[in-house]
Amino acid sequence: MAIIGGGCGALAAAFELTRPEHGGRFDVTIYQLGWRLGGKGASGRGPSGRIEEHGLHVWLGFYENAFAMMRDCYAEAARSTGVFGDWQDAFLPEPDIGLFAPHGSEGWHRWHGRFSPRPGLPGDVALGIDGQDQDPSSLADYMSAAVGMLITLLLDTEVRRSDSPPPPAPDDPDQIIAAMRALLGRGVFAGGVVLVEALGLLQIAIAGLPRGFESMLVRLVDTIASGMREWLETHLLGDDRRSHVWEMVDLVLACIVGCFRDKLLTDPRGLDAINAHDCRDWLRRHGASERAVNSAFVQGLYDLALAYEDGDATRPGIAAGQGMRGALRMFFAYRGALFWRMRAGMGDVVFAPLYHVLRERGVQFRFFHRLTNVGLAPGGELGPGDRTHVAALDFDVQAKLHAEHYNPLITIAGRPCWPAEPDFSQLIDGEKLAADNADLESHWDRRRADTARLEVGRDFDFVVLGVSVGAIPDVCPEILARDARWRRMTAAVKTVATQAFQVWLDQDLESLGWHGPPWLASAFAKPFDSWCDMAHTIPEEAWAAPPATAVYFCGVLPDGPAPADDDHDYQSRRNAEVKRNAVDFLASQASRMWPGIGKGADGFRWDLLADPEPGAGAATGPARFDSQYWRANVNPTDRYVLSLPGSLEHRISPLDMTYDNMTIAGDWTDCGLNTGCTEAAVMAGRLAAHALSGAPALNRIIGYDHP
């Protein structure tokens, strides 16, 4: 079996297909561009062993499939080597999130939320811990949880429960209907006490109201929303200290109202029924105020999803159903902590142990293989129901090896890691490649040492295509020429370039004026609207004189004119653009976050930047930024996959077998969580494995069949 690509989706498929219970049924070879695994999540070790990421990567507490894979991976690795440790040493719970909002002459207003731990650990459901074997959550469960959050907010805002009659029994529909009629007979719900009573009744009705009374339920929801907004405007609208509560409640109300008005709880499509609408537009349609729609809460949703078409900050877009699905799972389905940081880079924590375990299972890796074409069996345009198969795979071999296999890992701080550059000493003509500054991950560096053609029946039987959708036009010309569905998918499922930089500082953020925990922060100033203090990674690096902290920044990068395939300098030009953006950003915005860092020349204390290779002639001023790290993620395989309104219906599922010996894997597929993230990629990889082997069972792919 040939698996193309080394991202999370491809590796998840390989991990499932080579589980011991398959008894060696699948002989797997992974073909990878360049020298490292990871795709958009790849990381490498640069000077002083510092971690250099593609962007800012954290995992969410609802990543059931991804965490289950890594928990199994770490347990298996521990049986052959203790070098990777325990998974809970590699992933660290993070309860804090921060958002920024413009605040007049003061610059930025900060909102900080700390989310309490929830029972269990991420991966418990997928692993069947405590007898669980499927996701227990439904859209009704999520709506009930959202109503419960509103009750908590009201009770926390000086509202006390009254001596109202006891609520109806949850399993008695007649009592529920009678209580709703009595409550609706009062008219407008004025006052916090009545609202708490009404919300409590709504929670019971969501679970216990029979079919046929949906219009009554919509009336109850609309009346609650009207009364609650009136109560909010009276109690909170003029209170800047609690304005975030007003905005949050207004948004939650719009979500609840929209779900009932649009009949999403009974629509067989679930949340997918509203994916033609943009998230902000859908919230407006169901009563959300402009203030709430443009609040930091919604801005943060778009920023964290890098949801800007063509990288244009004036063109935000998220399909409403997917936006809702992501938010509901994020806030109501997490286990343990809301976020989980990685102890080191994605390459170290995720892809190094996966590589080790897969090698131990007998998986072969062919690095330095650039896929150039997926060749089909002869035939014409594929119509509905037509099937064909992959007959050949063509590659450019970017470099040849002195030995049979390439050894990709290095050791930093006692742990296996991916280097930021290939080991040229293992490559034939490696010295020349190094002298030429060969970029063997760049789409525009087209050099090759040879070509390779794999033929079905001789070299492979099945194929898992795990490249990103951004690369499909380059590697699947025959498929696009014959398959209208793939043409529609590649046109509709768009990607966006991103930009990222990292700085290492000789003072910690607290000493520079930052107050509070090391947030994961979003909704900040463009172009680097999301950032995080990553001080916890410093002990994993290999500095002679360790800095105090590292801070990672990322955001979208606007597209320019499409470059030609032979434009060798394109990557370096875009990297230079990111460098200019980063220097300008630090000079203009850093002091708004850390007052103590903006007191030097040019608006930033450049001397605080830690140089991994200090010398007698250390640079000063903005030139000292040359010692830091930045990158433009413009490669087709590096671009972030968007969930634009009207696009999700064009995604193709890994379960689709139009090509009866090929399936697909990646966060661009129709996998049940159709957004750009690790969890979506792993879900797609597990679905691809199911398509080929029947395992894992679909009900163990958590979130696949989800509202």
Side-chain angles (χ1 to χ4, degrees), residues 94-450:
E94 174 55 73
D96 294 293
I97 185 172
L99 297 170
F100 290 84
H103 197 64
S105 60
E106 297 179 27
W108 293 89
H109 175 76
R110 304 191 310 180
W111 175 84
H112 164 229
R114 169 161 287 183
F115 291 80
S116 300
R118 295 188 72 223
L121 293 169
D124 280 357
V125 178
L127 293 171
I129 303 297
D130 297 329
Q132 302 176 93
D133 62 359
Q134 58 184 349
D135 191 341
S137 299
S138 66
L139 189 52
D141 294 325
Y142 288 141
M143 288 299 100
S144 180
V147 171
M149 186 176 77
L150 294 180
I151 293 172
T152 299
L153 287 170
L154 282 170
L155 293 175
D156 285 348
T157 316
E158 301 177 1
V159 172
R160 296 291 178 266
R161 292 186 184 272
S162 67
D163 296 326
S164 302
D171 57 352
D172 190 332
D174 291 336
Q175 283 191 33
I176 296 172
I177 292 165
M180 289 174 65
R181 284 175 173 157
L183 194 59
L184 287 167
R186 300 186 193 180
V188 176
F189 299 162
V193 172
V194 178
L195 284 168
V196 169
E197 179 186 346
L199 288 166
L201 179 56
L202 177 58
Q203 269 191 314
I204 294 171
I206 288 172
L209 193 67
R211 291 288 183 91
F213 290 89
E214 286 85 1
S215 60
M216 181 182 291
L217 197 56
V218 171
R219 282 181 57 207
L220 178 62
V221 169
D222 282 340
T223 307
I224 289 172
S226 176
M228 195 155 189
R229 285 195 169 102
E230 182 178 334
W231 186 89
L232 285 168
E233 290 170 5
T234 301
H235 290 78
L236 297 179
L237 188 57
D239 186 348
D240 279 348
R241 296 170 303 169
R242 295 191 290 180
S243 62
H244 64 280
V245 177
W246 189 96
E247 294 162 354
M248 187 187 304
V249 172
D250 195 39
L251 293 169
V252 173
L253 285 171
C255 292
I256 295 172
V257 168
C259 280
F260 285 99
R261 283 184 183 169
D262 289 348
K263 302 179 181 178
L264 300 184
L265 276 71
T266 55
D267 193 311
R269 298 169 295 172
L271 290 168
D272 289 339
I274 57 173
N275 276 332
H277 306 282
D278 177 67
C279 201
R280 276 195 172 104
D281 293 340
W282 186 79
L283 290 168
R284 288 188 184 98
R285 188 154 64 93
H286 295 295
S289 66
E290 284 301 307
R291 174 173 173 171
V293 163
N294 293 304
S295 68
F297 298 107
V298 178
Q299 186 65 46
L301 172 68
Y302 282 75
D303 288 350
L304 287 172
L306 298 161
Y308 298 96
E309 192 168 357
D310 297 331
D312 185 345
T314 67
R315 300 174 65 194
I318 298 179
Q322 181 50 49
M324 279 278 289
R325 180 178 289 117
L328 291 171
R329 287 188 71 78
M330 176 177 175
F331 291 113
F332 299 126
Y334 72 86
R335 293 178 182 274
L338 183 72
F339 290 107
W340 292 75
R341 296 174 184 252
M342 283 166 283
R343 178 199 65 234
M346 276 275 281
D348 315 322
V349 170
V350 177
F351 299 111
L354 280 172
Y355 172 76
H356 170 80
V357 167
L358 292 174
R359 281 294 306 271
E360 289 287 303
R361 291 179 178 181
V363 173
Q364 299 294 311
F365 288 84
R366 296 289 181 260
F367 294 99
F368 307 105
H369 277 66
R370 179 199 300 275
L371 180 67
T372 57
N373 185 51
V374 177
L376 301 183
E381 178 77 10
L382 294 172
D386 289 345
R387 298 181 69 171
T388 186
H389 69 273
V390 174
L393 299 168
D394 292 308
F395 296 90
D396 281 348
V397 180
Q398 300 169 287
K400 291 188 174 183
L401 309 177
H402 288 298
E404 182 179 358
H405 297 290
Y406 178 76
N407 296 314
L409 301 179
I410 58 175
T411 300
I412 302 291
R415 301 185 189 276
C417 303
W418 300 88
E421 293 183 348
D423 181 357
F424 288 106
S425 69
Q426 297 185 51
L427 308 182
I428 295 174
D429 294 328
E431 290 185 4
K432 182 178 185 302
L433 290 170
D436 288 346
N437 294 315
D439 186 349
L440 300 178
E441 290 180 328
S442 171
H443 173 80
W444 299 276
D445 189 331
R446 310 300 289 188
R447 74 188 71 216
R448 67 185 183 189
D450 201 352

